[in-house]
Amino acid sequence: QVQVVESGGGLVQAGGSLRLSCKVSGRIRSINVMTWVRQAPGKERELVARVTGAGSTDYGDSVKGRFTIPGDNAKNTVGLQMNSLNPEDTAVYYCNALVTTTRGSVVNYWGQGTQVTVSS
């Protein structure tokens, strides 16, 4: 069984910073891609950032230049450093992990999400 757990959400004032973390645990052989998406009330899910097992990163247009995936992540953990936050960043942030299990299957797993609220 594989678990994906996000942490680090909370309330922050506009202009502030937060760092989210996503940890993957369980019977995995490797992590192929880890993706952060977010969903604000009444809006569709939106790509925030993505990192491959090889270390390539990709960011959504609305967060480029403000959000980064740090390079100092622990094993099977990916962070999301969010700077210059504004109220439009308010959303539930979800982590997705595309993993290869110990049985050789490639499976997508989602975390429960963590709320980020940015006050003006």
Side-chain angles (χ1 to χ4, degrees), residues 60-89:
D61 289 340
S62 61
V63 306
K64 282 181 182 176
R66 300 188 297 124
F67 292 12
T68 58
I69 293 179
D72 59 345
N73 297 302
K75 185 178 180 182
N76 295 342
T77 300
V78 68
L80 180 67
Q81 179 65 44
M82 306 186 294
N83 299 327
S84 302
L85 286 161
N86 59 63
E88 289 69 41
D89 295 316

Side-chain angles (χ1 to χ4, degrees), residues 8 14 16 21 33 40 44 56 61 67 72 85 93 101 103 105 117:
S21 183
V33 185
E44 295 184 352
S56 298
D61 289 340
F67 292 12
D72 59 345
L85 286 161
Y93 285 69
T101 69
R103 292 189 174 189
S105 301
T117 302

Side-chain angles (χ1 to χ4, degrees), residues 16-112:
S17 299
L18 275 177
R19 178 166 171 157
L20 304 183
S21 183
C22 173
K23 181 172 176 61
V24 183
S25 61
R27 297 180 180 274
I28 58 175
R29 183 183 301 170
S30 62
I31 298 174
N32 304 323
V33 185
M34 291 184 79
T35 304
W36 287 99
V37 301
R38 68 185 182 186
Q39 187 164 23
K43 295 186 178 180
E44 295 184 352
R45 280 192 178 184
E46 170 187 27
L47 171 69
V48 176
R50 178 167 45 213
V51 59
T52 69
S56 298
T57 55
D58 185 28
Y59 297 93
D61 289 340
S62 61
V63 306
K64 282 181 182 176
R66 300 188 297 124
F67 292 12
T68 58
I69 293 179
D72 59 345
N73 297 302
K75 185 178 180 182
N76 295 342
T77 300
V78 68
L80 180 67
Q81 179 65 44
M82 306 186 294
N83 299 327
S84 302
L85 286 161
N86 59 63
E88 289 69 41
D89 295 316
T90 295
V92 178
Y93 285 69
Y94 297 92
C95 179
N96 173 276
L98 181 66
V99 309
T100 299
T101 69
T102 52
R103 292 189 174 189
S105 301
V106 178
V107 185
N108 241 349
Y109 291 93
W110 287 94
Q112 293 293 318

